[in-house]
Amino acid sequence: MSLKYKHGGEVSDSIGLLISILVRYPEVGTINYEPHDQVLRFTFMLAQPVAEEKVQAFEMKFRKSLEVYNYLEDRDARVINLHHTYDDQIMSLEVQRDVATLSRDEINLIMTLVQEEFGASLVVENNDEVMEEELILQEELIDHMLESVKGTTSERQLIAFREEGRVMVFNK
């Protein structure tokens, strides 16, 4: 199955990857792809600020969890970063991972860690309309597109986010 633009154009694998991640994981607010660095940046929005100590403790747990996961998978992750910013009553949490060593299972781990730590505060778009079969299809697409994107280097920087139930993708 291939994705198409509203106007019928083919979607590149990097664009399809961003779309599939947003469809599959409603807890991701935005996702950026930096092709020159080969890095995906997942941004989560929290409806309320979290104490600095809690965020620092989560960062340590998060980093250790991903390092252990990659060790067990016999991968050497180049980029595992976690940043947070406060803006009035909202906090954003940004996870950066290199595409070369990222897998769908690790994305699932990232989502689980964020959900377990910040679930009540996490801004999540209602995903009730998406059927289980569609979620499984999106996971398969993520697997395929991750593998395809790993070999590319010259694509444009992209940002994807949700707006009124639709996924929007733009060049940066």
Side-chain angles (χ1 to χ4, degrees):
M1 173 180 188
S2 66
L3 300 168
K4 296 200 180 285
Y5 285 114
K6 187 174 184 181
H7 299 295
E10 282 293 319
V11 172
S12 71
D13 285 339
S14 56
I15 293 172
L17 175 63
L18 301 184
I19 292 169
S20 290
I21 288 172
L22 286 177
V23 169
R24 173 60 186 95
Y25 304 105
E27 52 271 269
V28 177
T30 63
I31 186 160
N32 293 268
Y33 176 57
E34 307 287 341
H36 300 295
D37 298 328
Q38 288 282 290
V39 170
L40 279 176
R41 293 186 299 140
F42 302 83
T43 304
F44 303 90
M45 302 303 290
L46 284 76
Q48 58 199 27
V50 177
E52 188 68 27
E53 306 82 45
K54 183 176 180 180
V55 175
Q56 288 177 354
F58 174 71
E59 184 172 352
M60 288 178 55
K61 174 184 172 183
F62 178 84
R63 185 173 301 282
K64 285 187 185 292
S65 297
L66 267 56
E67 287 172 354
V68 167
Y69 175 82
N70 280 289
Y71 173 77
L72 293 172
E73 292 292 317
D74 197 27
R75 290 193 203 120
D76 187 22
R78 186 177 49 85
V79 177
I80 298 177
N81 291 324
L82 183 70
H83 302 286
H84 65 283
T85 56
Y86 298 100
D87 186 25
D88 289 330
Q89 305 294 50
I90 295 178
M91 183 180 125
S92 68
L93 188 68
E94 181 182 277
V95 172
Q96 297 177 358
R97 275 294 286 118
D98 63 283
V99 174
T101 59
L102 185 64
S103 68
R104 180 183 44 89
D105 288 336
E106 186 175 354
I107 294 172
N108 285 335
L109 174 61
I110 291 168
M111 297 308 148
T112 300
L113 290 168
V114 170
Q115 189 73 266
E116 285 178 355
E117 188 71 29
F118 303 109
S121 301
L122 204 54
V123 176
V124 179
E125 183 168 296
N126 187 351
N127 200 10
D128 292 341
E129 297 170 8
V130 180
M131 299 170 78
E132 185 67 28
E133 296 84 23
E134 176 68 19
L135 296 177
I136 292 169
L137 174 63
Q138 293 305 324
E139 288 182 354
E140 291 171 3
L141 286 172
I142 290 168
D143 277 336
H144 170 73
M145 291 178 212
L146 260 177
E147 287 304 312
S148 177
V149 168
K150 288 178 183 182
T152 63
T153 56
S154 64
E155 291 191 45
R156 20 183 219 280
Q157 292 179 303
L158 301 169
I159 183 170
F161 59 91
R162 284 184 206 80
E163 184 176 283
E164 297 177 8
R166 296 184 315 215
V167 173
M168 311 292 255
V169 182
F170 293 96
N171 293 331
K172 284 176 76 179

